[in-house]
Amino acid sequence: MYSKRGDDPRRQISSFFLFYPGKSPPQMAWMNHSTITEFILIGLSDNPHIEVLVFVLFLGIYLLTMMGNLMMLLVIRTDYRLHTPMYFFLSHLSFLDLCFSSVTEPKLLKDLLSKKKTISVEGCLTQVFFVFITAGTEACLLSVMTCDHYAAICHPLLYGQVMSSQFCVRLVLISWGLASFNSVVILLLALNLDFFMAQTIHNYTCDLPSLFPLSCSDISINIDILICSILLHGLGTFLPIFFSYTRIVSTILSISSTSGRSKAFSTCSSHLIAVTLFFGSGLIRYLMPTSGSSLGMLSSLQYSAVTPLLNPLIYSLKNQEVKAAVRTLAKILHYFR
């Protein structure tokens, strides 16, 4: 077909990349992508002695997270006084924190005791998907809980009519639905990435900011879509929180009773602390440069490990109803012993 060997376009392509070693032909990129089966995770430390201490620390954090959130679920389920919309949402928040911490922490604990810290490509993408679906649902649920506080404080006479059980269930289902849609978009972005032989993820877990620097694909569109997705989902859940609390604070300040203001502020302060911890660390992680910095690592630890641990403490230590329910449950358990 070709009169001269030099006329063969495949040979011309090979010659081009021979003289420009920084480039890679499409066939080579596809071959590199197809041969990569796993990534190497940097982890939190490469010192064996420090890794043992970190393992003990995060094992304690994970066990306390499981115990605290399971206790919240049990207390809310067994005490009829807590069968209200606010505690209905709080029980779902505890369930999400159980799922959220279980997506990343067991793998972290395993790697701390292993010399070879690797994760398969399929496992990495699965982790990316479940991190986004649990974190996205929690963001929506925190926003929904703010609307519940707004209805209870600003419109108490209409609260029972507005926050019906059917409406609360719909709000939870909508939260899962929006987060699932966003997670599917994120997963499609990750599936389209091609990779060179560089396999090291500068983090202890898989997420898109860590995968982008490893890709040999043009990731400009991926980054734009990720930022738009994070901003839309983040602003879509944070703006209702901001505007609701503007009205809530105004209403609380107009309450003449000191005890009434104190009770309302106590209820809202727990939620505000949880919102600040979650949104603050999440936005830092996904809107900062993908450089594998210590700040990125700390923000990942904050929203995936520390926040699920603190949430049950925040809502139980500052809530008299929950503390009373815990004491009642403890008495029942002691009686049956």
Side-chain angles (χ1 to χ4, degrees), residues 259-332:
S259 60
R261 286 199 304 269
S262 177
K263 183 178 179 180
F265 271 123
S266 177
T267 301
C268 294
S269 62
S270 300
H271 186 253
L272 274 174
I273 293 172
V275 167
T276 303
L277 289 173
F278 182 81
F279 279 90
S281 56
L283 288 176
I284 289 174
R285 177 64 190 119
Y286 286 97
L287 295 182
M288 68 177 297
T290 59
S291 59
S293 63
S294 299
L295 180 60
M297 188 85 72
L298 289 174
S299 61
S300 295
L301 289 171
Q302 171 66 50
Y303 77 82
S304 65
V306 179
T307 299
L309 168 67
L310 294 180
N311 277 344
L313 296 176
I314 291 170
Y315 283 102
S316 60
L317 294 178
K318 295 180 67 63
N319 193 304
Q320 297 299 326
E321 293 175 326
V322 173
K323 288 193 285 187
V326 170
R327 287 193 293 266
T328 302
L329 181 61
K331 291 178 181 179
I332 295 173

Side-chain angles (χ1 to χ4, degrees), residues 96 100 130-140 179 233 278 286 303:
L96 277 170
F100 197 9
F130 282 107
V131 163
F132 270 93
I133 194 171
T134 51
T137 306
E138 184 158 340
C140 292
H233 196 82
F278 182 81
Y286 286 97
Y303 77 82

Side-chain angles (χ1 to χ4, degrees), residues 15 45 62 75 102 110 133 140 160 174 190 205 242 257 268 281 315:
S15 300
S45 174
Y62 184 59
V75 166
S102 297
K110 175 180 177 296
I133 194 171
C140 292
I174 290 172
T205 185
F242 176 78
S257 170
C268 294
S281 56
Y315 283 102

Side-chain angles (χ1 to χ4, degrees), residues 4-5 44 48 55 70 74 108 135 138 178 189 194 225 333:
K4 298 181 181 180
R5 294 180 62 185
L44 299 179
F55 172 82
L70 285 173
L74 181 61
L108 170 62
E138 184 158 340
L178 291 175
L189 290 178
D194 294 312
I225 295 176
L333 295 175

